[in-house]
Amino acid sequence: MTAQTLSASPAPAQTPTPRGGGKVSGGLLDPGQLLRSLPDAVRKLDPRTLWRNPVMLIVEVGAVWTTMLAIARPSWFGWLITVWLWLTVIFANLAEAVAEGRGKAQADSLRRAKTDVTARRLVGWTAGQAEARAERVGAPELRQGDIVVVDAGEIIPGDGDVVEGIASVDESAITGESAPVIRESGGDRSAVTGGTKVLSDRIIVKITQKPGQSFIDRMIALVEGSSRQKTPNEIALNILLAALTIIFLLATATLQPLAIYAKAGNPGVPDSPALDAHGVSGIVLVSLLVCLIPTTIGALLSAIGIAGMDRMVQRNVLAMSGRAVEAAGDVNTLLLDKTGTITLGNRQAAEFVPLDGVTEAALASAAQLSSLADETPEGRSVVVFAKQSYGLRERTPGELTHAMWVPFSAQTRMSGVDLDESGDGRPGRSLRKGAAGAVADWVREQGGPVPPRLSEIVDGISASGGTPLVVGETVDGSARVLGVIHLKDVVKQGMRERFDEMRAMGIRTVMITGDNPLTAKAIADEAGVDDYLAEAKPEDKLALIKKEQQGGRLVAMTGDGTNDAPALAQADVGVAMNTGTSAAKEAGNMVDLDSDPTKLIEIVQIGKQLLITRGALTTFSIANDVAKYFAIIPALFVGLFPGLDTLNVMRLSSPQSAILSAVVFNALIIVALIPLALRGVRYRPSSASKLLSRNLAVYGLGGIVTPFIGIKLIDLFIQFLPGMS
């Protein structure tokens, strides 16, 4: 299909996208979003839902217990504590509900992309068959292996592979990009997605999906969080939090007999809402337990995992599981394809090397003229390079009226022009540009010499990984070689810096290419990758991945073809291109909807950010407890042991105010950290030791200092409430 055909195609209508744009991705601090998620947070109070989060389940059980105690012995202090304990559970559920709400908004936009379509299923179709009987069936009735035909203007009824034909397809419902894409049979761009629209021509599609398991169906389930499973790291952290909760539960329980014994030995100490003849009141014990167990990270843990997958969706990457996102954060080795990932993919003119007796300007002018009839990317790059580097004005074939153009062909391997500058119908000057052997033979046929230095220049360019093109001319029957054009597979701008960032993270980068070792080494050195695999075949990729994994390393790679499927399945993070084959998309555990191979670097950074966010908030949550010791422990026992008053460094107004202030802070800090859990901690590429030091300095120290300030400010406000004196 030509570019003219594509540009003439009607622009597809914009549809809602799963990227997280607009209302989906914004509003991390939007109160409206919190209010919309509040009903879901209340519904999550159901113990059948909350049991998956043992820390918050303990808090809910404590809230139920304090409610019963407050009813039995009503007091302002008891009811305030009870209300804030319930708010603690609701705020914890709110964090997860907000994260899930963002996914539901994305899922709703995907559902709008699903339409009930009728498919034309071909009966008895075989490849190359001109006609086959078509029957109308509903899209849900299609089964794997069915053959359907789709004409221009029709919706593709299901996921599949193009087995015949070529067409431009509007995939804006999936990728959010309005530009149409080409889908054709027999290549790595044969996969089509149900719900997308054919804009031109006709294609025959073989259905590869199972009923109810289309690509959009899976996307909806994933972004809603319904199929999000806890990752090993998340499970391990949950076990740690449960263990800490049990330890603090036992520690809190031992305070009761200690208080009873101490009170019996000091009968002159007056009773208080916190401590009476029966020991520590149940409401205070629950308050102490809730403040000491790691409620902050327990409340935010699920939201952090959901937000990690959400950030992938915002970047148009569909992660098939939370495990894949987490694995991306632990990747040690990145396998990157050269063409289109590290390099631009098209060789471009980078240098003109003239032979003796020829100036660079003369060679540039001849190279430009001889390339005007060359419509290949390489030919166009010669024209642009000559114009930009040598100040030559832009010329077009139409300007030269007495010229016979010789377009490039695979047979001649040359392009050029014959100029009739005298106007007598006989070419006075001829120019040719092309492969070294083809142009050298043409010069010899015209009776001209081929200097020995030409082979030295050609061999030098080839050894450096470049491609040499030779320019020759004849003037009035005299032929000669003018010089050589150096074509390079240009490395994308900024790639060396990005690989330096990967190296700073401790990630090894390996370039994979089908080029010869000389070319591969030249590109690898220029790009700054750590290693390369030249002349790579599918089995070589698979062997390299297995070798890396045997050393205990996690491997990530991208691919789009059927021959990439084994390696994608073997890799710990396999990113399949959406433009690729169904086999590649089934083998990988992520799909890049933009089909941008460099996205793999962003995926690794998102995974790192997920792990760092989880670690940072865990550090903050555990450090939080320090200030609460200084608030609640003196409040409980200062009457029995006056010396404990020295621990009241915040100078809280009363024991009741100290306990309530700690409980209120414990609830409010969860809401305050929801935006950070959803957005993620800012990630800067550095070593693990530096990241740990930064976490301890910022979130460890911050987790200690913040509660001292927060609890004191809350105490200043609530000391005037009834029952706080």
Side-chain angles (χ1 to χ4, degrees), residues 324-325 327-337 502 507-512 541 544-545 548-549 553-559 567-576 589-590 597 599-605:
V325 180
D330 285 328
V331 160
N332 307 108
T333 304
L334 282 181
L335 305 186
L336 299 161
D337 187 50
M502 295 292 107
I507 297 175
R508 178 169 170 263
T509 52
V510 181
M511 182 185 77
I512 299 177
K541 299 177 188 179
L544 177 60
I545 292 173
E548 292 288 325
Q549 290 172 333
R553 291 179 286 271
L554 297 184
V555 181
M557 75 159 288
T558 60
L568 287 171
Q570 181 67 34
D572 300 283
V573 179
V575 184
N589 50 23
M590 292 188 186
K599 191 80 67 70
L600 183 57
I601 298 174
E602 291 183 45
I603 289 170
V604 170
Q605 291 175 334

Side-chain angles (χ1 to χ4, degrees), residues 256 365 469 503:
Q256 184 69 302
S365 178
L469 295 179
R503 203 170 292 111

Side-chain angles (χ1 to χ4, degrees), residues 32 35 73 92 121 145 210 213 229 258 306 330 372 379 381 407 459 488 574 603 654:
L35 290 175
R73 298 177 62 184
R121 183 167 58 190
K210 295 180 180 178
Q213 296 183 11
Q229 301 297 318
L258 174 64
I306 295 172
D330 285 328
L372 291 177
S381 79
D459 291 343
K488 291 178 64 177
I603 289 170
S654 69

